[in-house]
Amino acid sequence: MNDNKSFICRKTKSESLGNCEHNADCRCILKATLSQLTSIQLQQSSSTDTESRPLSLLQRLSLQLVKSNEHQTIPFDVIVRQQFKDLLNESIPEQHQRYFGKYFTDDISTKTFTINEFGRLFQLTSLLSKRILIVFNLNASYEKNSISGEDIIRLARLLWISPMSIKAFILFKLFDSNDKDIISINDIRSFYEQYLSEVKYFKVERRLQEIVEIFLQGFFPLNNENQQKQELSFEQFHHILQENPSVFQTLYLISIPDQDNEDDEQTIWFKRWWMYIKNNTNRIAFLILYILISIALIIYVIIYQVIILEKHSVSQVIARIGGMLVNFNYALAVSLMLKRTMTIIRRLYYLRIFIPVDDHIDAHRFVGTMLFISAMIHSLGHSITFAINLNGHSWFSLMFTTAAEIGWVGHSATITGVILFVLLIIMVICSFQCIRQRSGCYQLFRYTHYLFWPIFILLVLHAPNFWKWAIGPMVLFCFEKIYLFKRYLPKYGRTKLISIRIEDEHVLSLMIEKPSNFNFHVGEYINICLPNIVRNEWHPFTICSSPERKDVLQQNSDNNSQMAEIIVDNLSNNSETNSGNLLVYPREITFTDKQKDAIACIEGPFSTCTSYIFDCEHVVLVGAGIGITPYISALESLIYQLREQRSEQESYLAATTPQETTNSQEQRSRYLDIHLYCTSIRSHEQAMLGNLPYNLVANMYEVIQHEDMHTQLRTPTHVGRPPWKLLFAKFKAEHRSTNVFFTGNRIMADEIKKHCDEHTFRFQHEPYF
């Protein structure tokens, strides 16, 4: 093989095929061409009266090989280019026509499409759509913004059946926009700057440019004189791809994407229900208990009103039922939001097994809804009663004055009832997800929830028996608030900021000084207030430091104050203008002891389901977006524990025999696997050609830097959604029991929970908001 990667063909067919020093694709091409040539020669010898059939370039070259006694050199790019043209122009078999009819769900051969529609068919950006059409000599279609269905089928077929050499040629021509058969370093740089600006994988321009330059080093390395090559031919480009197997595998994406077909496998409905019941026994048990208590209260009211008091008015009985359910649901709604009580239950193993404490916020929403419905039933019953029994008064006066003479404090039941109903409506409306998650509306949700205090006072004045239901939960609530006043004490909650780091436009990290008597567990969170900036405004922060961490500040070594690193997602609701300006400030701000703005107050800690990760045999931690932060503390704690165990094992192994040491080391199993997925990018199977430029630069970056392009870790980042079905089947085969912990949005949670039910995995999730 000579320097320009041409190959030498000998004077006979057997020699040419046997001694070709190029890859298998070249030999197959030449063999096919020679077989075609033999057929043509036979036709010519039998039909001397007709003109000879015109030969293609490859056939003429092969004919010279047979007839010539001299060596002939055929450049590799000529072979591949001709094969590309032959495949593009050959007739499409009927079998392939049927396949693409099913693939596109219709016969598109007679239709026309715009360039945008063409891009959607193949999951392409506007830049890739334009370049692909240029590669396939469809410049006119791009200029007219119209491409025929027949051309789309030909294009799709070539992408589908083309060998690796042609796929490499297509990639080369994507960069060669001027059709020079040479690509320069500026051609590739310009292509990637446009492509990455369209897909917006990297929000920081400097990082984007850095990745592009590292990628270019793979194709244009420095020579001995420290100079970078500026141009590449196709042979050189193909040789570089073959030298890097992981980069060469990227060529498989030059194909057509899979269709988004739903999984045809349907689980029988009663089997799914049985799996759900089996995995949610404590939740279902508490729901049944709630229903039974409600039914018992309804029966009690009916018996008391009808049999004991002998009141047979249906509307009045309905009103009393609604009132009883208001008492019950108010007491339960307050109990479900006792954070310290929930933290204690989570820390006690046998309590959390039977009490579904992880669902206390969802349960609070459900009970709050039932409270409002009960209030409506109560109000409706009294409204009907007043309409039926006017007793010389108007309905309006009975509803909005003390004319009805009911209520144990100054006959004020009707007036307090109307006020209570209005306050409940305000609280319910401001609790809707569309309100509380709207930018700038969270404070509205927060402050309207403080209405439960006037609601509590009005209910005491409104109903004579309400205090019996509410006294227990309200006493506990008051005790919790008194207990949380320790947040203002220096040893428990009053501390200062060490530094603030802006990780990106959505994540803010705080480094704070750990008070001496402040203790926390894995997976817990705190509320933080900066009183000298905004008084009485508390924000939840996830603790990302492990409890084992023993960092001591040099400037405060007298009181042994420690550091805890905390991350919160409190920038996601900012406007684009604010988040853009945020990047102008220094990425890290440090504070001194004399700065008043550094004073901070800590409330908590409060637990989540993540706090009992280490009580499980095998756990799967799934974090989506900012949801990864609760698991940072767990992973750091795991590292500390493993280091301690290994140090103990090494001390023990030092006293054992060499054979025992070898056996013990062989028994060590893998304790941690990390799978990273970028779900904002479609999977390779779904996008194929659309992901080609991304996958090429990611693989080349890994080859050069030996780390992932996104995370700078050795663990690669996969694109698309995780293959839950495959992963969970693997977990089921490898472990007796598995607990899945999830933090993220509800849509993903529903999908993961479905797979957990199918494999009988325990599913825990952080509360949705």
Side-chain angles (χ1 to χ4, degrees), residues 696-709:
L696 183 68
V697 74
N699 288 341
M700 183 61 81
Y701 185 96
E702 185 178 359
V703 167
I704 297 174
Q705 298 295 106
H706 304 291
E707 63 184 20
D708 181 71
M709 180 174 63

Side-chain angles (χ1 to χ4, degrees), residues 325-336:
L325 294 179
V326 166
N327 295 339
F328 170 58
N329 284 297
Y330 183 92
L332 186 57
V334 173
S335 301
L336 289 169

Side-chain angles (χ1 to χ4, degrees), residues 442-654:
Y442 175 76
Q443 296 301 327
L444 180 64
F445 158 76
R446 178 186 172 210
Y447 288 123
T448 54
H449 250 58
Y450 286 137
L451 291 175
F452 87 93
W453 280 110
I455 288 175
F456 167 72
I457 295 172
L458 288 171
L459 279 172
V460 171
L461 299 176
H462 179 82
N465 295 319
F466 172 75
W467 67 272
K468 299 175 184 178
W469 288 88
I471 188 170
M474 292 304 294
V475 167
L476 284 176
F477 184 82
C478 291
F479 279 160
E480 282 204 358
K481 289 302 178 182
I482 295 171
Y483 172 79
L484 291 176
F485 274 120
K486 71 175 185 177
R487 61 196 179 190
Y488 298 112
L489 301 177
K491 290 186 177 182
Y492 293 93
R494 191 173 181 87
T495 181
K496 66 170 185 169
L497 290 173
I498 303 302
S499 65
I500 297 177
R501 182 175 179 82
I502 301 171
E503 305 292 346
D504 61 31
E505 61 188 37
H506 296 292
V507 180
L508 182 70
S509 303
L510 303 184
M511 187 76 73
I512 64 173
E513 194 175 301
K514 182 177 178 292
S516 57
N517 290 347
F518 180 83
N519 299 307
F520 64 94
H521 293 74
V522 166
E524 295 184 332
Y525 72 96
I526 58 177
N527 292 328
I528 291 183
C529 174
L530 304 177
N532 291 334
I533 299 177
V534 181
R535 186 178 296 274
N536 296 326
E537 188 169 308
W538 297 82
H539 296 274
F541 280 60
T542 302
I543 302 177
C544 293
S545 293
S546 66
E548 297 86 356
R549 188 169 178 176
K550 302 298 181 183
D551 296 315
V552 180
L553 300 176
Q554 298 296 326
Q555 61 268 36
N556 293 302
S557 56
D558 294 338
N559 57 3
N560 285 337
S561 51
Q562 299 173 352
M563 292 189 297
E565 185 180 358
I566 300 161
I567 294 180
V568 66
D569 177 18
N570 68 336
L571 301 178
S572 57
N573 291 331
N574 288 353
S575 64
E576 294 182 2
T577 304
N578 291 338
S579 62
N581 293 335
L582 193 62
L583 299 176
V584 176
Y585 295 97
R587 292 185 60 83
E588 188 167 7
I589 304 171
T590 58
F591 296 90
T592 63
D593 295 337
K594 297 180 180 180
Q595 289 181 273
K596 294 182 178 180
D597 291 344
I599 296 175
C601 294
I602 298 175
E603 181 183 80
F606 305 109
S607 68
T608 64
C609 63
T610 313
S611 58
Y612 43 87
I613 284 176
F614 292 109
D615 294 339
C616 307
E617 176 185 349
H618 173 246
V619 297
V620 178
L621 309 180
V622 184
I626 193 65
I628 193 66
T629 53
Y631 306 136
I632 298 176
S633 175
L635 293 176
E636 186 175 331
S637 180
L638 176 64
I639 292 172
Y640 275 105
Q641 294 179 32
L642 288 170
R643 285 176 179 171
E644 183 177 352
Q645 290 177 5
R646 285 186 174 179
S647 63
E648 293 174 1
Q649 289 177 359
E650 289 172 358
S651 300
Y652 167 76
L653 292 175

Side-chain angles (χ1 to χ4, degrees), residues 240-290:
I240 293 172
L241 292 177
Q242 286 185 315
E243 284 186 334
N244 301 283
S246 62
V247 179
F248 189 75
Q249 294 301 314
T250 301
L251 297 178
Y252 283 113
L253 295 180
I254 301 181
S255 186
I256 53 178
D258 291 345
Q259 297 297 322
D260 295 331
N261 295 324
E262 296 291 335
D263 188 3
D264 295 329
E265 184 179 351
Q266 297 293 333
T267 307
I268 302 175
W269 67 269
F270 61 83
K271 185 178 179 181
R272 292 187 62 183
W273 272 105
W274 170 247
M275 291 187 296
Y276 178 84
I277 293 172
K278 188 176 180 180
N279 294 331
N280 299 275
T281 306
N282 59 348
R283 295 180 175 93
I284 295 173
F286 264 76
L287 179 61
I288 293 174
L289 180 63
Y290 172 84

Side-chain angles (χ1 to χ4, degrees), residues 83 187 196 214 297 474 598 604 705 715:
Q83 187 186 20
D187 289 336
L196 294 176
I214 292 174
L297 292 174
M474 292 304 294
Q705 298 295 106
T715 303

